[in-house]
Each structure stands twice: as C-alpha cells, then as structure tokens.
Amino acid sequence: MGFFDKLKQGLTKTKTSFDEKINNVFANFRKVDEEFLDELEEILIMSDLGMDTSVKIIDNLRIRIKKEKLQDEEDVKRALREEMQKILDVTDINLKLNTKPSVILVVGVNGVGKTTSIGKMANRLSKEGKKVVVAAADTFRAAAVEQLEIWAKKAGAEIVKRAEGVDPASVVYDAIKITKQTNADILIVDTAGRLHNKKYLMDELNKIQKVINREMAECDREVLLVIDGTTGQNAIQQVKAFKEETDITGLVLTKLDGTAKGGVVIGIVESNKIPVKFIGVGEQIDDMEIFNSEDFVKAII
Ligand code: GDP
Ligand code: MG
C-alpha cells in the first residue's frame, strides 16, 4: 500500500464523518448559499477543527465562492481542501538540524508514540548518512528503555541508557557527552509522558532542557511534540500544557493508519503556528512520512 492509500485508510473515520455529512449537505443542496455554508461550518466544528479555525475556513471559502463564482460540489470541495491546506502550510516543515551535533527533544503524553517515532526518525536519519545517538531519558520504567533499545538497534543508532529511576537529565548529560565524543550528528532524546503527574513531568523536562541549553548552547534544536492522531479535542490541551514549558518546533502526528480523526491538527496548526513535520502511519520502522498537506486534506475530503 502506498503512502496515500495508507493515509486514506487511516483517516476513514474523519473521511466518514466529513464525507457523509458533506454528502448530506449536498443532497439537500440547490445552490451555494448561507444555509449551505452554515452546515459546512458545523461539520468542520464537529470534526475537531475548533470554532475559530472552522469559522476562518468558511469565511475564506465564502469569499472565494463569490469571487470565483463557484457553483458545483466539486469546485467547492476543491476550494475547501485548498483552504485547509493553506492553514497547514503555515511554516517550513523541514527539520532544522544544521549544526554538528544537533538535538531533537521528543515530548508528549504517555502512549502517543514518542519512542516509536524516535525509532522511525533515527532510522530515517541513519539512512541519510547521519550518525545518530538516542538518549533513554524516560527512566521511569525499565521497559521503556528496552523498547528504545530495540528501536535503536533496528535503526543503527547508538543508545545511551542508565539504570531505571535515575535522573533523566543526567542521562541526557551523559548522552550529550557521548554524542560529542563519538562525533555523532544528531542526538534524539526520549522522554517520559506522565501528564497525570504534570508538575513532576514538567520539572523533569525543564531540567533536561537546562542541560541541553548549557551543553549544546550553539546547537540547532528541534522540540517535537508527538500527538496521537486518534485524539480529538484533548490534543489541544496537550499542546497547551507542553507549550508552557517548551518551545515546540514541530508536531509528529501518529496513528493515522488506525481510525484516526486527525482533523484536530488543522486547528492546532492554525492557532499555534506550529507545523506538522512527520506523520506515523503504522508500527513498523518505515511507517513514517514527511507531512504532506495536500495528501492529508485529500485523504480527509
Ligand atoms: P510513547 O509512550 O509515547 O513512547 O508511545 P510508544 O512509542 O510506546 O507507542 C505506544 C503504542 O502506539 C505502541 O503500541 C506503538 O506501537 C503504537 N504506535 C506508535 N506509533 C504508531 C503509528 O503511527 N501507528 C500505529 N498503528 N501505532 C503506533
Ligand atoms: Mg516511550
């Protein structure tokens, strides 16, 4: 299955809710009027795009419909796709990792796919000829370290790990040292995501960031927030929580091969101006793609 098919299959739920309802709107549709636009707006809001983003999209669509004299279903759908795409294309999606070494800090709540995404990214970067070190800074469970170790092996990356329960910031400190000593290109830091213990988690994250600030002051840094694509409105809260403590440079949207909604990300990108950089489309090492807004909106509508 190609990327587009996988994505399309993964977005079935969004597709169904969008498609079914859009078709319903069109079934009763005689002309593109305010009633039609209202119904469309309602669908967007219900599909987790959020109020502001939905209103913005419909406002822009209304202007285009007038200006371009759009009348039929296909033209309106195409314009709608383009308006969504415009929002998603808000900033550069390329990783900015031009210094040697540079660092990727991966954050997000439990179970969203951080460790898996790190495996996939490490693999990608290794294939590009980069020497990658991963830091097992989720020291909360031994299993978390083992899981990262398996991925690191598959990806051909070096892992820096310490005993269960040690201070995550000290693992990062050691990993930075090893990254420099071995002349590696990129350090990827895995972190814990226990948001139920928010204060502790954020303190931990701050300590990690302080170490990176101090030891890799001149180095390019990406802070990637991983979001589970099957999450609805709750993803907005997650962005808010992590934004308070980190300068997020990009999003990784995972699990778009499942019954993912995904639509929530359009609202997140719009309100935070943080781009989606990668998407996860499965549990295997190659199941990660660079985000493509055109394919994404095509899979939705
Ligand atoms: P973490 O707690 O954020 O580190 O999340 P993990 O990387 O451990 O992933 C949690 C679960 O989600 C695992 O069972 C992964 O296999 C699964 N997972 C991660 N990314 C994807 C994806 O893109 N698609 C699917 N189907 N499963 C994924
Ligand atoms: Mg993990």
Side-chain angles (χ1 to χ4, degrees):
M1 236 192 316
F3 159 62
F4 179 67
D5 291 326
K6 262 191 197 169
L7 183 58
K8 191 158 179 174
Q9 191 189 53
L11 287 171
T12 309
K13 204 168 168 189
T14 304
K15 187 175 149 41
T16 310
S17 64
F18 272 154
D19 252 27
E20 272 180 7
K21 284 166 190 159
I22 283 176
N23 286 335
N24 284 343
V25 175
F26 276 102
N28 307 320
F29 157 88
R30 279 171 211 289
K31 59 182 191 321
V32 190
D33 54 12
E34 269 312 306
E35 196 183 330
F36 166 78
L37 288 170
D38 281 350
E39 279 181 63
L40 211 50
E41 188 172 83
E42 206 179 307
I43 288 161
L44 298 186
I45 293 167
M46 286 191 305
S47 306
D48 290 328
L49 265 71
M51 183 69 85
D52 293 349
T53 308
S54 300
V55 170
K56 183 176 169 172
I57 288 172
I58 296 301
D59 283 351
N60 289 343
L61 187 64
R62 183 182 291 112
I63 292 166
R64 284 187 62 173
I65 284 169
K66 231 180 186 171
K67 215 164 120 187
E68 297 168 29
K69 299 189 171 53
L70 304 180
Q71 283 176 347
D72 65 67
E73 178 176 349
E74 278 316 308
D75 286 341
V76 175
K77 272 188 182 173
R78 180 182 44 77
L80 183 58
R81 276 198 290 262
E82 285 168 5
E83 289 309 317
M84 287 180 171
Q85 205 187 325
K86 244 189 247 167
I87 287 172
L88 291 166
D89 283 340
V90 72
T91 39
D92 187 9
I93 66 162
N94 293 309
L95 293 179
K96 258 180 229 77
L97 299 172
N98 298 320
T99 62
K100 181 180 175 137
S102 46
V103 59
I104 306 174
L105 177 63
V106 179
V107 300
V109 302
N110 256 349
V112 288
K114 290 183 296 300
T115 306
T116 307
S117 298
I118 287 169
K120 293 170 180 176
M121 279 191 281
N123 187 57
R124 269 194 107 85
L125 293 164
S126 293
K127 274 189 177 162
E128 287 171 16
K130 306 277 190 213
K131 188 169 169 165
V132 180
V133 174
V134 296
D138 179 359
T139 59
F140 192 62
R141 298 169 304 126
V145 179
E146 282 160 26
Q147 185 194 0
L148 185 65
E149 198 160 26
I150 293 166
W151 281 113
K153 201 173 251 174
K154 277 190 198 158
E158 183 171 350
I159 183 168
V160 178
K161 54 168 187 167
R162 295 293 174 259
E164 185 182 343
V166 307
D167 178 11
S170 75
V171 180
V172 174
Y173 179 83
D174 289 350
I176 293 171
K177 225 163 72 183
I178 288 166
T179 300
K180 289 178 180 171
Q181 274 167 8
T182 59
N183 209 22
D185 297 289
I186 295 158
L187 170 66
I188 310 180
V189 179
D190 194 11
T191 60
R194 304 175 301 283
L195 207 56
H196 63 267
N197 193 346
K198 191 178 161 213
K199 171 133 187 7
Y200 182 71
L201 170 73
M202 292 307 177
D203 285 351
E204 230 173 48
L205 208 51
N206 274 328
K207 267 174 85 177
I208 289 172
Q209 292 190 108
K210 267 185 198 151
V211 170
I212 295 173
N213 289 343
R214 198 178 61 223
E215 304 298 325
M216 296 184 85
E218 311 294 318
C219 301
D220 283 351
R221 184 190 317 178
E222 290 277 351
V223 181
L224 300 182
L225 175 68
V226 182
I227 290 173
D228 180 336
T230 64
T231 316
Q233 290 290 307
N234 192 254
I236 293 166
Q237 301 309 314
Q238 293 169 20
V239 175
K240 218 173 145 193
F242 282 95
K243 235 182 112 173
E244 282 170 18
E245 308 295 334
T246 59
D247 289 322
I248 304 164
T249 59
L251 305 171
V252 178
L253 191 61
T254 62
K255 308 187 192 182
L256 291 185
D257 53 306
T259 50
K261 283 185 179 174
V264 71
V265 80
I266 297 174
I268 290 173
V269 171
E270 161 64 17
S271 48
N272 296 283
K273 307 294 179 220
I274 302 170
V276 182
K277 299 208 170 183
F278 293 108
I279 60 166
V281 291
E283 296 185 87
Q284 304 306 313
I285 201 154
D286 288 322
D287 293 333
M288 171 175 268
E289 301 289 338
I290 292 171
F291 181 68
N292 179 311
S293 61
E294 193 180 346
D295 284 347
F296 187 79
V297 295
K298 265 191 199 156
I300 290 180
I301 307 171

